[in-house]
Amino acid sequence: MEEEVNNEREAYTLVVRKPCFGLPTACPSCLSLYIYLKFAQLPFLLDFNSTYPDSDQIPYIESSDYVAYNNENGGVIESLKKDGIVDLDTEFYSVPEWISTKAMVCSWLGDAIMYELWVGSDSSSAEKIYYPDLPWPIGKVLFLKQVHTVKQRLGITKDNAEQMEEEIYKRANIAYGALSTRLGEQNFLFENRPSSVDAIFLAHVLLTLQALPESSVLRTKLLEHANLVKYAEKLKMEFIEAGSSSSSASYFQSDPPSSASRRGPSNASSKPRSKPKRQKTREEKTFRKRAKYFVVTQLVAVLLFLTFMNRPDDEVELEDDEGYGYDD
């Protein structure tokens, strides 16, 4: 009985953005972390946070006095590795092809799904994922603000928009072809066992197939590779719909003894449920404190953004030319 109480106390809670499009969470970073934990068979409880859609700390995972945020140490998956909790990639760090494949999935495909969600012709998917619970005006302005940020990140301007779109889809198509060849008829991309690459890529495929509209160029290119679609459907059924089952146990090798003691109960469910109150950690208190200022900062951002967007172009040009149009 005492052992069960201790295990319950050490159970992990994964905090993500809310479910959407038939997925446990439709945020790319949240879904890849969710799948990674499923691959690792690390028991966790699932909780949702839709109050602060712009927070870069989500997703995060917590257990007792342990918290790992998305915006620290290279992300939650990297934190779990560094802290000795779970690492599916131990065997692949010295494999050049694995390293290059992960870089391709994170960059080329990461840019492609980001482009489709925020810059593509149909923006409804991103709004449903990130801003469903906000009043329409605030949600719309935050969406436009994020679109501006994504364009800056991808280097998209009015002058090169068509060229960048073509380049993004070209790279995505090359990536799909390479991954299709790499996968073949295997269950996973490397050594027929899961790694973080599979978690990130599977999240990408599921979002592309289920969250993007049928008119999506990215979705159309993905559907050209039948084995990638089959790969996603099989793993979704095995790890997401059915949960961690006995049939998936053979894919995962035990963690080092140092991390085994930090696991939760083996029969823990990933469905949301209430937790007993516990003392907040310093990291949690910091997160809560920052969260209090979210509404104020976003309202200020909305006002500044609207001011910037409504500013006449003529006014900007006059200011730029002022003092330089006269010959002394």
Side-chain angles (χ1 to χ4, degrees), residues 24-236:
T25 174
C27 163
S29 57
C30 294
L31 185 58
S32 59
L33 175 57
Y34 176 94
I35 294 172
Y36 183 85
L37 297 179
K38 284 290 188 178
F39 282 164
Q41 297 188 45
L42 183 70
F44 62 93
L45 308 175
L46 193 59
D47 199 3
F48 305 108
N49 188 319
S50 58
T51 308
Y52 311 108
D54 277 10
S55 174
D56 56 1
Q57 292 182 316
I58 301 172
Y60 63 90
I61 191 169
E62 58 182 359
S63 175
S64 186
D65 60 346
Y66 178 82
V67 181
Y69 293 114
N70 179 60
N71 63 340
E72 297 177 355
N73 302 318
V76 181
I77 292 178
E78 293 303 315
S79 293
L80 294 175
K81 293 178 183 180
K82 294 175 182 177
D83 297 332
I85 296 174
V86 63
D87 187 351
L88 294 177
D89 303 334
T90 305
E91 300 179 7
F92 303 121
Y93 290 131
S94 59
V95 180
E97 190 174 358
W98 180 86
I99 297 173
S100 60
T101 299
K102 183 172 184 178
M104 179 177 65
V105 170
C106 292
S107 58
W108 288 5
L109 294 185
D111 289 350
I113 193 71
M114 185 189 303
Y115 179 86
E116 283 268 354
L117 286 174
W118 298 103
V119 188
S121 58
D122 189 339
S123 62
S124 60
S125 296
E127 293 186 34
K128 289 179 181 178
I129 293 171
Y130 293 92
Y131 311 118
D133 299 323
L134 294 180
W136 182 85
I138 295 179
K140 192 64 177 179
V141 172
L142 290 180
F143 170 80
L144 294 174
K145 179 173 174 284
Q146 183 63 21
V147 169
H148 180 70
T149 300
V150 169
K151 285 183 177 180
Q152 285 188 317
R153 186 178 304 172
L154 296 177
I156 298 174
T157 64
K158 291 182 180 179
D159 296 331
N160 69 359
E162 293 184 6
Q163 179 183 351
M164 289 301 299
E165 179 181 19
E166 182 180 349
E167 183 67 20
I168 287 170
Y169 287 133
K170 178 182 177 181
R171 290 177 177 177
N173 197 40
I174 292 173
Y176 287 150
L179 290 163
S180 177
T181 301
R182 173 71 211 178
L183 179 65
E185 298 301 321
Q186 298 183 104
N187 294 322
F188 298 99
L189 291 169
F190 289 88
E191 302 292 335
N192 209 28
R193 64 183 300 275
S195 70
S196 62
V197 176
D198 288 284
I200 298 169
F201 180 55
L202 178 58
H204 170 90
V205 174
L206 292 177
L207 285 167
T208 301
L209 294 176
Q210 297 186 217
L212 299 184
E214 293 184 1
S215 59
S216 162
V217 176
L218 191 64
R219 187 174 186 272
T220 301
K221 291 183 179 296
L222 175 60
L223 288 173
E224 295 174 359
H225 303 277
N227 66 329
L228 296 183
V229 176
K230 180 181 177 182
Y231 155 91
E233 291 175 346
K234 181 179 183 299
L235 294 182
K236 179 189 175 185

Side-chain angles (χ1 to χ4, degrees), residues 8 11-13 45-48 62 269-278:
E8 182 65 23
Y12 290 91
T13 297
L45 308 175
L46 193 59
D47 199 3
F48 305 108
E62 58 182 359
S269 169
S270 62
K271 295 181 180 179
R273 64 169 184 163
S274 59
K275 300 182 296 178
K277 292 185 178 181
R278 59 176 175 79

